[in-house]
């Protein structure tokens, strides 16, 4: 799933994408998660809070944090992860401005 938001932080307009891993298909529905639910979740938890906002002043989950691409990715992860459980992310990528990007990845625990 990919989405984008237009924000106001020094002229940057970051976009982001997510990739899910560690998922199980529900035998009754035949899918992991309803895409409509996922779209609403991303819209409510991230897009509405980032779109046309000043990252230094208007985004509660970035309050007091330098809004680097790394911190934006971590903030998006923290906003979405509990809302999409039991699915889990493999990665979240934030690009701003292209071709610059950062990818936050899940690291498997050592066995």
């Amino acid at each position: 799933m990919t989405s984008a938001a237009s924000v106001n932080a020094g002229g940057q307009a970051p976009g982001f994408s997510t990739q899910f891993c560690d998922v199980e298909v529900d035998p009754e529905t035949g899918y992991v998660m309803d895409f409509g639910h996922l779209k609403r979740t991303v819209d409510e938890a991230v897009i509405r809070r980032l779109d046309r906002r000043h990252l230094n002043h208007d985004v509660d989950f970035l309050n007091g944090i330098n809004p680097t691409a790394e911190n934006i990715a971590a903030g998006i992860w923290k906003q979405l992860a509990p809302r999409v459980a039991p699915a889990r992310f493999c990665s979240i990528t934030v690009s701003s401005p292209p071709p610059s990007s950062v990818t936050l990845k899940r690291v498997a625990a050592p066995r």
Side-chain angles (χ1 to χ4, degrees), residues 20-24 86-90 106:
F20 290 94
C21 63
D22 297 332
V23 296
E24 292 184 22
R88 297 189 329 162
F89 292 111
C90 282
R106 175 179 303 283

Side-chain angles (χ1 to χ4, degrees), residues 8-105:
N8 177 11
Q12 298 179 36
F16 71 94
S17 64
T18 60
Q19 180 181 5
F20 290 94
C21 63
D22 297 332
V23 296
E24 292 184 22
V25 175
D26 183 318
E28 289 185 31
T29 63
Y31 54 78
V32 174
M33 180 183 300
D34 178 273
F35 280 126
H37 171 71
L38 181 59
K39 182 175 177 10
R40 286 187 301 278
T41 299
V42 170
D43 185 56
E44 292 168 7
V46 179
I47 301 299
R48 289 183 190 181
R49 294 162 77 189
L50 289 177
D51 193 32
R52 295 177 176 78
R53 302 285 191 253
H54 192 292
L55 299 178
N56 291 320
H57 305 289
D58 300 334
V59 181
D60 60 339
F61 67 84
L62 294 174
N63 189 22
I65 298 171
N66 185 7
T68 62
E70 295 85 349
N71 286 334
I72 295 168
I76 291 170
W77 191 302
K78 289 176 186 174
Q79 296 307 303
L80 291 178
R83 292 173 169 92
V84 299
R88 297 189 329 162
F89 292 111
C90 282
S91 65
I92 292 182
T93 299
V94 171
S95 8
S96 174
S100 300
S101 67
V102 63
T103 299
L104 187 64
K105 293 185 178 184

